Structures are given as C-alpha cells and as structure tokens.
Amino acid sequence: MKMKFSLFVVLAGAALGCVDIPDFDDTPKIYYNGISQYTAVNEKTGKNEREYVTVTIDFEDGNGDLGATTEEIANPAFADPYGEWGNYELITYLKGANGTWQEQSLEGDKYKWMPPLKSDGKPGPIKGKLDFNANFPYFGSFVMRYVKFKVRIRDRDLHVSNQIETDSILVPIVE
C-alpha cells in the first residue's frame, strides 16, 4: 500500500510540474475584444430612451494587482495618486462632419474604477475580460453621431497599460 501511495504522490507532483504558469509583465496589457450596443425602448410609447454601449477588452497582468475596493476609492491617500482617471480610462471621440475625430469629454468619462479582479488578493498572474459601459440618452435635442473610444487601465502600483481603440458606432448625442 505504501508503494501505491508513494507512486501516486510522485505522479501527482510530476503532473503539477507540467502546469505552465503564465509569465506576464507586471505592467498590465490589454487587447481590443469588441464593442456592442443595446437600445432601451419605452414599452408604452415605443420611443428609444437610451443607448447602452459595452466595450470589451482582454487583459493580462503579471502580479494581478488590478482593481480597488469602495473603501480604498473613498480614501484620498489611496485615490489621489491616480490623478484624473482612476484605474481605468474611457476616452470618447466624436466623428465630425468633416470626417475627423475629436476628443469629447462626456459626463461619466472621468474618474472610473473597476473592483478588485483577484478575489484572494494574492500576487500572481491574471488574465480575463473586462466590460466597460457607457450610455447615451435619447433626450431633448440630440443628433446621431459616430463615436469610438480609447481605453487603458492602471494597476495598484500605477503601471499604465497600452491604449486600445474601438470600432466606431452610431449613438445619440445631446447637443
């Protein structure tokens, strides 16, 4: 019986030794995955109320130090070093009549935060998908405009990822 148990331990150890642990850089890296949109319609009037947009990125980070708790965000000693854009940045660009793209600071574009992405809090590589949301109301005087976004993220050590750019989509812009 001892022989079988010892053989099992050796085989289990050999199998665990074959698991590849990713070797990601400690600075986060992101990749564009896609953009989607959904129109909320008022059931009574049949009118469009709001355009919901989701930007999806893939990410990887070598030490998994992405995200912040609500308590941390409320603490100026933690949040102040992040400056003007929290731990993720979503920059909106509007396409002008002449075809050029212009950065537009929209309500809600500044100071965005994502929650901690590693539930155990232990350092180590992490990868996955993140969805960033924006919404555009069909309110008052609006025009349909093409928009696109630029996204980047930042970890707890203030390492800033690369920046990705999305495809363009058509949404209502209140003017």
Side-chain angles (χ1 to χ4, degrees):
M1 183 70 170
K2 270 187 168 179
M3 177 74 158
K4 288 183 182 177
F5 180 72
S6 297
L7 182 60
F8 172 75
V9 170
V10 170
L11 289 175
L16 288 174
C18 294
V19 175
D20 288 333
I21 297 175
D23 185 24
F24 302 138
D25 192 84
D26 285 349
T27 297
K29 185 148 179 79
I30 63 174
Y31 307 91
Y32 178 59
N33 183 298
I35 189 169
S36 61
Q37 64 189 112
Y38 164 77
T39 306
V41 178
N42 183 307
E43 291 181 18
K44 292 181 181 178
T45 65
K47 292 185 177 184
N48 294 347
E49 288 187 338
R50 192 168 294 274
E51 200 70 27
Y52 292 97
V53 176
T54 302
V55 175
T56 303
I57 64 167
D58 298 322
F59 71 90
E60 57 188 47
D61 184 57
N63 58 3
D65 62 342
L66 296 171
T69 66
T70 304
E71 293 78 23
E72 289 171 325
I73 296 165
N75 179 352
F78 176 85
D80 285 352
Y82 281 88
E84 296 181 7
W85 59 274
N87 63 15
Y88 81 86
E89 181 181 49
L90 185 68
I91 301 171
T92 304
Y93 287 84
L94 296 175
K95 189 173 188 179
N98 61 1
T100 61
W101 291 96
Q102 297 173 337
E103 184 176 334
Q104 181 71 36
S105 182
L106 298 179
E107 183 68 30
D109 273 359
K110 299 292 182 193
Y111 219 58
K112 292 183 173 288
W113 294 93
M114 64 185 139
L117 300 182
K118 276 195 94 169
S119 57
D120 63 8
K122 295 179 182 175
I126 185 173
K127 71 183 221 175
K129 292 186 185 326
L130 288 171
D131 288 334
F132 299 116
N133 300 303
N135 67 77
F136 301 86
Y138 288 91
F139 178 76
S141 177
F142 69 88
V143 295
M144 297 301 289
R145 300 268 306 266
Y146 281 98
V147 300
K148 66 180 178 179
F149 304 94
K150 288 188 177 180
V151 178
R152 61 185 177 161
I153 63 175
R154 180 168 29 197
D155 68 16
R156 297 174 72 82
D157 288 331
L158 304 179
H159 298 131
V160 178
S161 74
N162 58 305
Q163 187 174 59
I164 61 95
E165 185 175 306
T166 70
D167 297 327
S168 63
I169 57 169
L170 195 59
V171 298
I173 299 294
V174 177
E175 294 195 342

